[in-house]
């Protein structure tokens, strides 16, 4: 059986877990941004592409619009 941790070991563990959790959250946000930028570009592929994307993702077209607007940078024009 492993020994019980002292307060310092417990604090160090909590700090490491917090750092790992923060890194995971940051990476998740980065991946979300990349995903919605790609979707934003794809929705201009052809007439009706937004609906086809919504069908493929099993969401409503409005969700595609909201998410692409949310993650679109200010200097990035909307896909036509």
């Amino acid at each position: 059986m492993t020994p019980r941790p002292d307060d310092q070991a417990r604090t160090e563990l909590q700090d490491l877990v917090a750092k790992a959790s923060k890194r995971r959250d940051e990476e998740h946000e980065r991946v979300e941004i990349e995903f919605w930028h790609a979707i934003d570009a794809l929705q201009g592929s052809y007439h009706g592409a937004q609906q086809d994307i919504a069908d493929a993702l099993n969401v409503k077209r409005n969700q595609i619009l909201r998410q692409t607007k949310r993650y679109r940078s200010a200097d990035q024009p909307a896909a036509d």
Side-chain angles (χ1 to χ4, degrees):
M1 190 158 127
T2 59
R4 289 189 149 283
D6 59 13
D7 288 340
Q8 180 182 356
R10 186 172 278 133
T11 301
E12 288 174 2
L13 178 71
Q14 290 171 346
D15 289 344
L16 291 172
V17 170
K19 286 178 186 177
S21 179
K22 182 179 178 190
R23 188 172 63 244
R24 180 188 66 179
D25 292 344
E26 289 168 350
E27 285 298 306
H28 178 22
E29 183 66 17
R30 182 187 60 78
V31 170
E32 277 293 297
I33 291 168
E34 288 177 6
F35 175 77
W36 289 110
H37 282 183
I39 295 300
D40 196 24
L42 291 172
Q43 70 180 341
S45 299
Y46 56 85
H47 183 72
Q50 188 182 47
Q51 182 61 55
D52 291 345
I53 292 167
D55 292 343
L57 295 175
N58 198 27
V59 297
K60 303 276 187 198
R61 277 183 42 223
N62 193 36
Q63 176 74 5
I64 302 296
L65 177 64
R66 282 195 322 260
Q67 291 297 88
T68 55
K69 275 185 168 181
R70 176 181 176 193
Y71 289 104
R72 188 177 296 140
S73 62
D75 59 335
Q76 182 183 5
D80 292 329

